[in-house]
Amino acid sequence: MATVNIIEAINLALRSEMRRDANMVVLGEDIGRNGGVFRATVGLLDEFGEGRVIDTPLAENLISAMAIGLSTQGVRAVAEIQFSGFMYPCVDQIVNHAARYRNRTRGRITCPLVIRAPNGGGIHAPEHHSESLETTFAQMPGLRVLSPSNPARAYGLLLAAIRDPDPVIFLEPTRCYRLFKQELEDDGEALPLDTAFVDREGDHITLLSWGAMMHDTRLAADALEEEGIRCELIDVASLKPIDMDSILASVAKTGRCVIVQEAAQSYGPASEIAAGLAEHGLMSLFAPVVRVSGYDTIMPLARQERVYIPDVSRIIRGIRRVLEQAPIA
Amino acid sequence: MATVNIIEAINLALRSEMRRDANMVVLGEDIGRNGGVFRATVGLLDEFGEGRVIDTPLAENLISAMAIGLSTQGVRAVAEIQFSGFMYPCVDQIVNHAARYRNRTRGRITCPLVIRAPNGGGIHAPEHHSESLETTFAQMPGLRVLSPSNPARAYGLLLAAIRDPDPVIFLEPTRCYRLFKQELEDDGEALPLDTAFVDREGDHITLLSWGAMMHDTRLAADALEEEGIRCELIDVASLKPIDMDSILASVAKTGRCVIVQEAAQSYGPASEIAAGLAEHGLMSLFAPVVRVSGYDTIMPLARQERVYIPDVSRIIRGIRRVLEQAPIA
Amino acid sequence: MKKSRQAGKTQVASFEVHHCGLLDAQGQALADWPDFAKDHEQLQKMYRVMCETRAIDKKAVALQRTGKLGTYASCLGQEAVGTAIGLAMREEDILIPAYRDYAAQFLRGVPPESTLLYWAGDERSMNFPEGTPSHHDFPFSVPIATHIPHAIGVAYAIKLRSESKVVVATCGDGATSKGDFYEAISSAKVWNLPIVFVVSNNQWAISMPRERQTGAQTIAQKSIAGGLPGEQVDGNDVIATRYVVERALAAARDGEGPRLIEALTYRLHDHTTADDARRYRDEEEVKAAWSRCPIKRLRTWLESDNGWTDADETEMQAACDQKAEAVAEAYLKIEPEPPQAIFDSLYAVLPSALQNQREEVMQAGGTND
Amino acid sequence: MKKSRQAGKTQVASFEVHHCGLLDAQGQALADWPDFAKDHEQLQKMYRVMCETRAIDKKAVALQRTGKLGTYASCLGQEAVGTAIGLAMREEDILIPAYRDYAAQFLRGVPPESTLLYWAGDERSMNFPEGTPSHHDFPFSVPIATHIPHAIGVAYAIKLRSESKVVVATCGDGATSKGDFYEAISSAKVWNLPIVFVVSNNQWAISMPRERQTGAQTIAQKSIAGGLPGEQVDGNDVIATRYVVERALAAARDGEGPRLIEALTYRLHDHTTADDARRYRDEEEVKAAWSRCPIKRLRTWLESDNGWTDADETEMQAACDQKAEAVAEAYLKIEPEPPQAIFDSLYAVLPSALQNQREEVMQAGGTND
Ligand SMILES: Cc1ncc(C[n+]2csc(CCOP(=O)(O)OP(=O)(O)O)c2C)c(N)n1
Ligand SMILES: Cc1ncc(C[n+]2csc(CCOP(=O)(O)OP(=O)(O)O)c2C)c(N)n1
Ligand SMILES: [Mg+2]
Ligand SMILES: [Mg+2]
């Protein structure tokens, strides 16, 4: 039992799986000697050597293509992209190849790979270091997209992603990397894929989020508890596919729903979930679904990033909008 | 007054604007001597010469970057990508540069460019020639995304896109290029941007679509007219931004809504619109919103593409689902 | 480092690009030949493979013209490159081909009817048969050049496992303008990977002539950007092409790392059956190119040196046409795939979220056409 | 075409890469100098620009360390390249810089306080002032190499309008591994565009040493992939660097087309203030690199040949420090931007669909920190 933060949990997951599976490699920029700019791969070079801990040239398109080539040979390739804003050069390879090889060869060639990247803002990083890439990949059939919100899920979902026989995009909550710690058993146990996690039960309103925003959403829920508002807090975690069954079940119970995301509002996971509710859960809704999200602007540079990223007060405002239209009896 | 199909309308728009604006160029693969694989640029090389009709090397990332460079110098760059499935290499340049230069330089550097591509399937084309790229670009703040559904809109919206001072992604309905003709006045008149078009008024149910699916949606509406069901048929046309005001007004009137798209269901424009309804139009809905869309699969090769693409019967089934839950009085 | 007289100028690197040709367009031998080319059997086999490939190619075009096949990309005039690659590779090697390398794919075990099935639009065509080398090869990629960097990962896996396989990754001249091609070239030598890059420079990328595709005088010299050896070969000379590819494979197998080969050839057909090259290409140029046809020159040699008679020729051509017929029949007999198949290879296990959609397709029964 | 004895082998192309140096690390002149370098004024100006840049750079690091600035990328040790570019370019030329070319940007009119404002995280910092050459220059791009192909479009526009401007596009050694860089190199010569590509090879890409970045022996030779002339220069020799850049600019202006210059330099600082190079880089190597510092060698020359005294030095250093102080003060005085500004440059006119969101920000008053 160790007490770890998210970045340590990721490091533990990578190490334990590399020990378990000699067929697994990690690759990316500055992940070897340097241990990764966020230290996610620290120690791996010393333990597993240059062959399995691959410092690549500076080319994300190449990194994703290389991961594809490796994975087609049965090598479990786990690539790190330094920041999710630098994943755009990988889109062609991931969408046109990683997501498709199994389907176009009817199962002959597969791509068991993971591409990890820190995602989202809030750490006063430079330009292009604070983007939210969920939709870029979640829209693509053939892929899975995960975004963990705490150390235990970072550990368990990353293991599940690595062992999954299909390509997985793993978006890590940058600003929560070192925000808090959790007790973690480094037992190599994976968590289930394609599943949302109910973090707190409640019957008044369903709050949905994932990744870094889970933290602020929980704080908002705490604040409302004090007013006697019982929030059901769900970590969506899997953005492709989305576990709509769990979400619909919760909304059937509460009749109210607020979805919190950092990504720009339009075309984000919040919209996909709200659409699912409009099509399959409409009759259980007492009030309109509210999306609390980043604005439809470009992620601002550091000085304005807090204007863009939803904070607890914005989340509470969103919840109140729902409660005003459908007060709790 | 000429009677033209969509591809001819696009050719007319490009020619008339190049005549009007000596600062406009077209660029892309095989657009010069060859006139484009769909003939959209036929005749332009002879009239405007190699300087303004630019056959580029085979590199979409370069084409988009070159269009960006040209546009920053005040050259109106209209790039053709041969098929939308080959736009993925442009994503980095379009998202990280075209969409951002104005914002990051606070207006000093701008990118008045258009990137056109045939979009969608249904013509028995080879692999990767039948994709639907709406979401890839519509999710990105700073961009506009248009998809015309008939010759008049192809002409008027393309002119509007070229004259717009910001980057526009122009997705053309491949399978309708030569499907039908329309009377068109080549008068250089642009249509308004950011606007949906009400093609048919009706008070029973709102049908929303764009691009190639408008054709099948209209056929479905015709079929239902015969049963006395009055459909309000709206061409969304602008997928970024979406004209939600017009859509909400229509749904306020009809209380019923079906959205038809060819793109895979998850994270498509249909979801974005349904989410808008769930958040801002919930109380006017008599029945759940239904999304009739491509499946969440990779676009199949030619022999199965008709399994994937919604046809009139699938659209009608979707409409009936709504009517069953909220019968017309 | 050679100091020059000029102001502070020192030469720090120099490079040469060579061209190799062993059988010229007139069917005359240039210089000495490698052993395989001194063997009549071998020469006739190379000839037969090229002729059979051309017969099947011709049949494919005919099927498309009569509405029995979708858009098809012909390899007319480029048969030598695929033949040379297919014969030079070992079973265990891995081919990451471009779409005009049918000859290589056939030699590796891809059934020609699968190639037709691909252009008809059926994913099963890329599930190459077990028990043949093609089973561990890649299908070609339509997005130009995007498959080239896959070779880096595949070859890295080979090296990681200390296997003695080599990856052959091929593309066209147009493909060499794309970042994917360059990123592979730029990095292959970093790990000294066992890769042979073969570029079929057929002088055209649809309507774009080679001279306007890039400022480079040769495609071979692009290897210099990554510190690889690069060479040109007469790609219509099956003997020289096989010779340089075999040499490159041997070098890679011996740990000497990657190489780039530019095979000079010519696209005698339209780009695809959907294209009309007369719009942009001079008929005269095509006529001239026919005189450099890879099959014609080898036949001339076989006749002059190999005792190949008109009877032999007629017999072999008949056999090739029969083969093409049989391939077409086999292709036309293939049953359609059930509609729900569009879900069944999407993931190892279909996520439950997609079950309803699959159900819907099952009920609708699909609309195969 | 020189025929070789070997089997059918013909040389079809050959290339040389040269290195230019005019002032060595010891401050000794190599060969003859161009006129500008014979002019004391000019030499002292180059020296002053480098020293001032270093003083401002040092100040920026200090501000970051004391929490008054965000992550900052230092140009320590690389001042000569930016200085040479800034002095070689004409006003009307267009600079598409990398993030260590501060000296060039300052010379073009970017106020140093704007550079600090950028690293503080404020978009206004990229709105370079009217009336200065920088007003038509590009801000640097954080996504590595992605700005390089913009030069193709910018230079094409220049050519289309028959203007006599030249584009200077710069990047680092790591950037030359990316497809963006290669696609620009591959196509620049197709239209014979007026572009000078300058690569600051500072031997490192964060923790990746140059040798493992690419298989190419030199970065200069990557130009061969596009048929461009490529040359190496001692990038810590401001005289040689300015000389080769001026020559390349003149050639481009005369219609001779694009060139690639690899400037050999060294990153003396951590990659950025967020990096700790001791994790991956040998202290000894850095010490050795200090002996090749561009400023030190020019000072040695000025003292030996130019009558530069300790008094001159003290006076100039004091002036540089004052300048750096003034820059910091100006920067710290800049008022925050109103929160709704995140909407106000998104489009020429904000679409009505976004008005509500802007309203919300206005009401909330934002939370600038
Ligand atoms: C990324 C991408 N862009 C455009 C196309 C359309 N296209 C198909 S083949 C081709 C030309 C390829 O030329 P080359 O690489 O020389 O191969 P060749 O067809 O001559 O064998 C183009 C532009 C494509 N398939 N992929
Ligand atoms: C596309 C992209 N990938 C990764 C990064 C992170 N990153 C910032 S600088 C850098 C190294 C750049 O090396 P080089 O081009 O040599 O320039 P230098 O920093 O040495 O001046 C990296 C990997 C980035 N900014 N952009
Ligand atoms: Mg070609
Ligand atoms: Mg560097």
Side-chain angles (χ1 to χ4, degrees), chain D residues 281-331:
Chain D
R281 191 166 72 167
D282 181 357
E283 299 283 323
E284 290 311 308
E285 178 184 308
V286 182
K287 271 212 203 66
W290 269 105
S291 71
R292 297 190 302 276
C293 163
I295 292 178
K296 187 167 137 297
R297 69 176 69 180
L298 187 52
R299 180 182 173 182
T300 309
W301 173 266
L302 289 174
E303 288 172 348
S304 63
D305 181 77
N306 229 319
W308 186 257
T309 66
D310 287 356
D312 296 331
E313 179 69 16
T314 323
E315 186 188 313
M316 191 213 57
Q317 288 299 352
C320 291
D321 295 340
Q322 267 172 31
K323 168 77 180 185
E325 275 308 328
V327 165
E329 271 171 40
Y331 154 67

Side-chain angles (χ1 to χ4, degrees), chain A residues 82-319:
Chain A
Q82 219 155 59
F83 289 87
S84 66
F86 306 137
M87 293 177 104
Y88 293 110
C90 310
V91 169
D92 190 31
Q93 285 291 336
I94 293 172
V95 168
N96 276 342
H97 287 298
R100 292 178 189 235
Y101 263 126
R102 177 188 293 278
N103 183 67
R104 65 194 291 258
T105 62
R106 289 300 185 246
R108 181 173 63 89
I109 296 178
T110 62
C111 296
L113 61 84
V114 175
I115 301 189
R116 313 172 26 244
N119 191 55
I123 60 164
H124 275 72
E127 197 176 10
H128 296 281
H129 288 61
S130 306
E131 318 306 304
S132 295
L133 274 274
E134 290 91 325
T135 297
T136 298
F137 297 109
Q139 63 167 310
M140 188 58 202
L143 296 178
R144 276 189 170 77
V145 179
L146 299 174
S147 186
S149 64
N150 64 39
R153 275 176 208 147
Y155 180 87
L157 289 176
L158 182 52
L159 287 178
I162 297 170
R163 293 171 192 170
D164 188 67
D166 291 304
V168 179
I169 307 301
F170 199 78
L171 300 172
E172 302 165 2
T174 314
R175 80 172 164 278
C176 297
Y177 268 157
R178 299 188 165 79
L179 191 62
F180 55 90
K181 296 195 168 221
Q182 245 180 2
E183 289 278 296
L184 182 76
E185 186 76 69
D186 181 11
D187 55 7
E189 285 299 316
L191 284 167
L193 292 171
D194 309 349
T195 311
F197 300 89
V198 179
D199 277 3
R200 181 183 307 182
E201 302 208 342
D203 56 354
H204 288 158
I205 184 164
T206 300
L207 304 185
L208 304 171
S209 194
W210 57 90
M213 291 310 305
M214 272 305 287
H215 182 71
D216 312 82
T217 306
R218 180 174 290 101
L219 295 179
D222 293 343
L224 291 165
E225 294 282 305
E226 318 215 317
E227 303 173 19
I229 296 159
R230 298 191 295 270
C231 302
E232 180 137 301
L233 183 62
I234 297 181
D235 179 358
V236 178
S238 173
L239 304 171
K240 180 74 166 190
I242 294 173
D243 178 5
M244 276 310 292
D245 292 348
S246 302
I247 293 168
L248 287 164
S250 174
V251 174
K253 179 172 68 175
T254 63
R256 303 176 185 84
C257 184
V258 170
I259 314 164
V260 182
Q261 83 182 7
E262 177 170 334
Q265 176 163 96
S266 299
Y267 292 87
S271 296
E272 182 56 32
I273 293 167
L277 292 171
E279 183 158 6
H280 305 293
L282 190 88
M283 293 322 175
S284 47
L285 283 169
F286 305 152
V289 177
V290 166
R291 292 168 292 174
V292 176
S293 69
Y295 297 112
D296 285 313
T297 67
I298 288 151
M299 180 68 184
L301 292 196
R303 282 191 170 178
Q304 300 264 37
E305 68 180 341
R306 286 295 174 183
V307 174
Y308 171 96
I309 302 171
D311 57 11
V312 173
S313 66
R314 237 158 89 191
I315 297 169
I316 291 176
R317 279 206 303 279
I319 295 171

Side-chain angles (χ1 to χ4, degrees), chain A residues 30 33-34 39 55-60 82 127-129 295-298 300-304 306-307 314, chain D residues 118 120-121 123 142-143 178 206-208 213 279-280 337-339 343 346 354 357 360-361 367-369:
Chain A
D30 308 293
R33 184 80 54 78
N34 194 39
R39 335 289 305 121
D55 270 320
T56 65
L58 206 176
E60 285 72 16
Q82 219 155 59
E127 197 176 10
H128 296 281
H129 288 61
Y295 297 112
D296 285 313
T297 67
I298 288 151
L301 292 196
R303 282 191 170 178
Q304 300 264 37
R306 286 295 174 183
V307 174
R314 237 158 89 191
Chain D
Y118 177 81
E123 288 83 356
V142 165
K178 260 185 117 227
I206 304 188
S207 70
M208 177 63 91
Q213 184 63 239
R279 286 202 201 108
Y280 53 79
E337 198 180 25
F343 290 92
L346 202 54
L354 293 180
Q357 293 188 13
E360 185 182 321
V361 168
T367 55
N368 267 325
D369 46 9

Side-chain angles (χ1 to χ4, degrees), chain B residues 29 60 82 86, chain C residues 99-100 142 144 172-175 202 204-205 271:
Chain B
E29 294 160 8
E60 285 72 15
Q82 219 156 59
F86 306 136
Chain C
Y99 46 85
R100 298 194 207 271
V142 166
I144 296 298
D173 46 306
N202 65 2
W204 291 89
H271 170 67

